[in-house]
Amino acid sequence: MDSHSSIVSIAPFLLPAIVTCFLFFARHAPASGDKHQRTPPTLPFALPLVGHLLQFLWNTERLLGKAATCFDPTTPVRLKLLNRRVTILNGASNVATLFKGSRGLSSERWLVQVLVTAFGVNTADVPFYHADNTGIGQQPLPGSNQVPREHRIFHLVYQNVHDGLSGARLEEMQNQMIRNLYAQFAALDVNSNAWTDIPDIYGSFIRNICFAASTTSLCGPRIFEAAPNITADFWDFDGHLPNLFKEMPQWLFPSAYKARDKMKDNLKRWHELAHQGYDVSQSDQDRRNWEEHFGSKLMRCRHAFFSKMPLSKDSVAADDLGLLWAATANAIPAIGWMVLEVLQRPKLLEQVRVEITPHFRSTAGTGPPSIDIDGLCQEPLIQSIYAEVLRVHNGTVVARVPQTTNFSIAGWRFPKDEAIMVSTYDTARSPYIWNQGTPENPHPVDEFWPERFILDPNDPSSGPVAPQANCEERPLDPSNAPPQPRFSLDGTLGSWVPYGGGTRMCPGRHFAKKELIVSMAMFLTEFDIQLMPRDGWIQDDKRYFMFGVMHPMGSIPARIRRRKHSFTE
Ligand code: HEM
């Protein structure tokens, strides 16, 4: 493990000393440097030595919220985490500039650290990752190490996920998702003439069905043969991930490390079975976009290049755990939220079903429904719900590190090797940017407002962005058709960033949009779902804050039945 990665492991030893000399010491680092380049101010902190570490570990939401509001809304703010410094970037235009300026910034060191601490890549394999400083591009970076092409792990992984999630491979993944969801629905013991009680409609129903469907689309069905309990094991691991991510020591959280080891063992068993059934050295000649051993072409080609690298089986399993997590741990809670936000509003449910129906052709129990995916994904209200789910429920931190020299944005200097972070949760809540409705009909930034992303040309108070914040001209419709309300992200550049941005922007975003919308549409078309009465709206489980789309909190009891003319009957 690299030298600065174990800050947290010593934190518990420092605690008694910190408590006895509790000084309430606040500091605001003066802006330094020449008049063109200022160092961002440090958020005041009370404990010298540790800085903001304890708050970072136990109340990250509050800490990042303070960093977003402590100075003016475009001022970046530095945090001190024991011996490490990071800067939280604020302001939509600064965020957009960061993502545009990908040259000179890297995510690779950060990525390796996450692969080790969160997913369990072997420390013995770290030098192999670090030896590759050739970048993600087709050509190695000038002046970088001489690394054989087949060992350029960052380039190969980058190219593989981008190829595997576009064009015909993307279409195959979409079709697989529909087929696999249909198979999951058909296997359920749920009738149309009686209600079935479900103890937790998200945690024991939607989440498990979607994991099985999504993982089969990515990895093929063999993974469930090799590891029959992988669904439960995965969600157990996901629940422990915040502690792993924050580098909590094993002696303090042994169950987190156990859950991760279990998942790595599951994946190793699958790798063994898949390699027995399929020779990855032939994968270049195999034109299929999906086969049953490794599933998607993405996965098959990935294992073809892994097989030429001197990585341990343990590290390959850990790296795959990272990919499986990226592919499911945001998308599935987001599907859950899409369904739940609609179900909590009966009128919205009716409107959504009106948008869904024309795009579905049922095959009446003889196979998966035929869905006009592109048409469905262009419906304005459905897209607005999708964008609003990712605005409200996403608590990700996206990181970049200036690699070779200091980096600057709008006159602020960001030192080399110090992480610059963007909190998607706070950018999505800036009251200076987001439309909060009218005094008669307010919609605060924390509220889920299904129509927030609908721009009605006849209503100047509509659209995602507050009228005073929107400098972009509203484009005219060239067809001269009477202006219709439409889905719009206009003015949200640098503020709606659930997928990050720039060259490292999430390569799964095109698949994710379709996966989220199609899955929601399939659940709402196949089932009537009645949530048990509850006080207030369903809330985010803040334990997942900082780690992507948060899960809904607590158990959500419901009853369900198949709808008449559902596609499985
Ligand atoms: C709602 C769903 C999703 C959200 C909110 C999401 C969000 C993100 C974010 C914020 C990043 C980091 C981007 C950056 O650093 O700028 C990321 C990276 C990534 N995502 Fe997604 N993601 C989603 C779904 C998916 C899916 C479905 C897949 C694959 C099937 C996927 C695969 C990846 C991969 C491989 C990376 C790493 C890319 C790299 O390092 O270059 N994601 N995602």
Side-chain angles (χ1 to χ4, degrees):
M1 196 182 304
D2 63 23
S3 59
H4 58 254
S5 64
S6 55
I7 46 170
V8 179
S9 7
I10 60 164
F13 298 114
L14 286 174
L15 216 60
I18 292 159
V19 173
T20 44
C21 60
F22 193 74
L23 292 173
F24 280 102
F25 175 87
R27 196 183 75 171
H28 177 173
S32 61
D34 63 43
K35 64 182 186 312
H36 302 296
Q37 298 265 293
R38 291 161 297 157
T39 302
T42 300
L43 188 72
F45 54 84
L47 303 171
L49 288 181
V50 281
H52 306 100
L53 181 66
L54 301 183
Q55 237 192 328
F56 174 76
L57 293 178
W58 283 292
N59 201 344
T60 328
E61 183 198 352
R62 184 136 179 265
L63 178 66
L64 296 189
K66 269 201 244 163
T69 51
C70 182
F71 302 105
D72 88 75
T74 59
T75 299
V77 177
R78 281 174 107 197
L79 302 179
K80 171 177 161 56
L81 308 174
L82 202 63
N83 58 348
R84 221 186 285 186
R85 296 253 177 189
V86 300
T87 304
I88 307 296
L89 192 64
N90 292 313
S93 129
N94 291 342
V95 172
T97 308
L98 176 80
F99 289 149
K100 257 192 250 148
S102 300
R103 193 188 293 244
L105 295 170
S106 91
S107 313
E108 283 90 359
R109 285 249 155 189
W110 164 262
L111 213 76
V112 175
Q113 196 179 330
V114 169
L115 281 172
V116 172
T117 57
F119 299 106
V121 158
N122 259 338
T123 47
D125 287 316
V126 168
F128 174 76
Y129 285 87
H130 281 171
D132 177 20
N133 61 353
T134 63
I136 53 177
Q138 199 68 34
Q139 297 305 324
L141 288 168
S144 57
N145 297 342
Q146 292 283 330
V147 176
R149 208 197 108 69
E150 63 271 23
H151 289 182
R152 290 191 62 208
I153 187 163
F154 295 108
H155 162 64
L156 290 169
V157 167
Y158 181 85
Q159 191 179 44
N160 171 255
V161 288
H162 283 261
D163 285 354
L165 292 165
S166 59
R169 277 83 55 211
L170 171 63
E171 263 175 49
E172 180 64 34
M173 290 271 286
Q174 288 164 200
N175 293 336
Q176 280 292 334
M177 187 68 197
I178 294 174
R179 231 170 279 158
N180 296 325
L181 265 183
Y182 171 83
Q184 293 289 317
F185 287 179
L188 288 170
D189 185 17
V190 173
N191 300 315
S192 58
N193 49 11
W195 290 99
T196 302
D197 288 328
I198 306 284
D200 181 4
I201 192 70
Y202 173 70
S204 58
F205 190 75
I206 297 175
R207 186 164 89 156
N208 293 346
I209 289 174
C210 290
F211 182 81
S214 172
T215 302
T216 309
S217 310
L218 183 67
C219 306
R222 292 282 182 264
I223 192 168
F224 291 94
E225 281 170 37
N229 290 330
I230 193 168
T231 305
D233 292 345
F234 178 81
W235 293 120
D236 183 37
F237 160 74
D238 181 56
H240 285 294
L241 193 81
N243 284 332
L244 294 166
F245 230 108
K246 291 178 177 174
E247 302 170 31
M248 293 296 191
Q250 185 160 6
W251 60 265
L252 203 56
F253 289 93
S255 54
Y257 289 80
K258 227 167 123 189
R260 182 174 78 190
D261 286 346
K262 216 170 187 187
M263 269 311 294
K264 278 166 53 181
D265 286 345
N266 285 334
L267 292 170
K268 276 189 263 182
R269 282 205 299 280
W270 164 53
H271 293 162
E272 211 171 308
L273 187 67
H275 280 294
Q276 273 167 22
Y278 189 92
D279 176 4
V280 286
S281 68
Q282 309 196 344
S283 82
D284 276 354
Q285 289 90 55
D286 188 341
R287 306 207 72 77
R288 288 174 298 170
N289 285 321
W290 197 88
E291 55 73 43
E292 62 186 14
H293 298 92
F294 283 99
S296 61
K297 189 166 184 185
L298 183 162
M299 215 26 126
R300 189 169 86 223
C301 294
R302 178 177 163 89
H303 280 272
F305 64 67
F306 273 156
S307 70
K308 296 182 193 155
M309 291 176 182
L311 284 172
S312 63
K313 288 182 178 168
D314 208 50
S315 290
V316 172
D319 208 314
D320 261 9
L321 180 55
L323 177 62
L324 184 61
W325 184 82
T328 55
N330 283 301
I332 293 175
I335 295 170
W337 278 117
M338 293 200 50
V339 175
L340 292 171
E341 294 291 13
V342 172
L343 288 176
Q344 289 183 98
R345 297 167 176 83
K347 184 154 172 280
L348 182 64
L349 174 60
E350 272 174 39
Q351 292 170 294
V352 166
R353 281 193 173 138
V354 167
E355 280 197 349
I356 293 173
T357 308
H359 303 290
F360 269 64
R361 201 148 40 81
S362 170
T363 41
T366 60
S370 151
I371 304 177
D372 165 18
I373 301 177
D374 290 335
L376 178 68
C377 293
Q378 276 165 28
E379 290 290 352
L381 180 58
I382 288 180
Q383 286 190 91
S384 182
I385 293 169
Y386 153 80
E388 184 69 345
V389 159
L390 292 187
R391 187 189 72 81
V392 171
H393 297 296
N394 191 351
T396 302
V397 171
V398 178
R400 297 289 184 273
V401 184
Q403 202 172 16
T404 45
T405 54
N406 295 341
F407 191 73
S408 80
I409 299 174
W412 296 106
R413 184 181 52 230
F414 301 92
K416 174 176 166 315
D417 292 333
E418 215 179 273
I420 308 170
M421 295 185 166
V422 175
S423 160
T424 65
Y425 186 84
D426 293 289
T427 59
R429 277 166 175 73
S430 168
Y432 304 96
I433 299 287
W434 293 95
N435 186 0
Q436 302 192 69
T438 57
E440 305 75 49
N441 193 11
H443 296 288
V445 284
D446 271 324
E447 176 192 307
F448 182 88
W449 177 21
E451 290 89 8
R452 196 180 302 267
F453 288 83
I454 293 185
L455 186 68
D456 181 347
N458 300 312
D459 177 1
S461 69
S462 70
V465 166
Q468 72 277 7
N470 199 350
C471 311
E472 291 174 27
E473 290 230 342
R474 297 190 168 188
L476 295 172
D477 180 355
S479 70
N480 271 342
Q484 295 291 321
R486 60 177 177 86
F487 169 72
S488 168
L489 286 171
D490 296 351
T492 65
L493 187 72
S495 301
W496 189 80
V497 287
Y499 296 113
T503 46
R504 297 311 292 243
M505 189 175 191
C506 172
R509 63 194 182 280
H510 304 298
F511 176 61
K513 180 173 181 185
K514 294 184 169 159
E515 184 186 17
L516 266 55
I517 291 178
V518 167
S519 304
M520 174 194 74
M522 285 181 71
F523 274 104
L524 297 180
T525 306
E526 178 71 6
F527 302 109
D528 280 324
I529 307 176
Q530 284 186 351
L531 303 181
M532 290 302 141
R534 58 191 295 131
D535 296 332
W537 303 106
I538 301 167
Q539 301 293 322
D540 287 316
D541 186 339
K542 292 283 170 65
R543 283 175 304 167
Y544 292 89
F545 184 85
M546 218 177 100
F547 304 101
V549 178
M550 290 169 277
H551 292 250
M553 189 158 72
S555 293
I556 304 166
R559 56 183 203 164
I560 68 170
R561 67 179 177 204
R562 282 192 208 273
R563 297 178 72 217
K564 300 258 178 318
H565 313 300
S566 72
F567 36 74
T568 52
E569 292 211 328

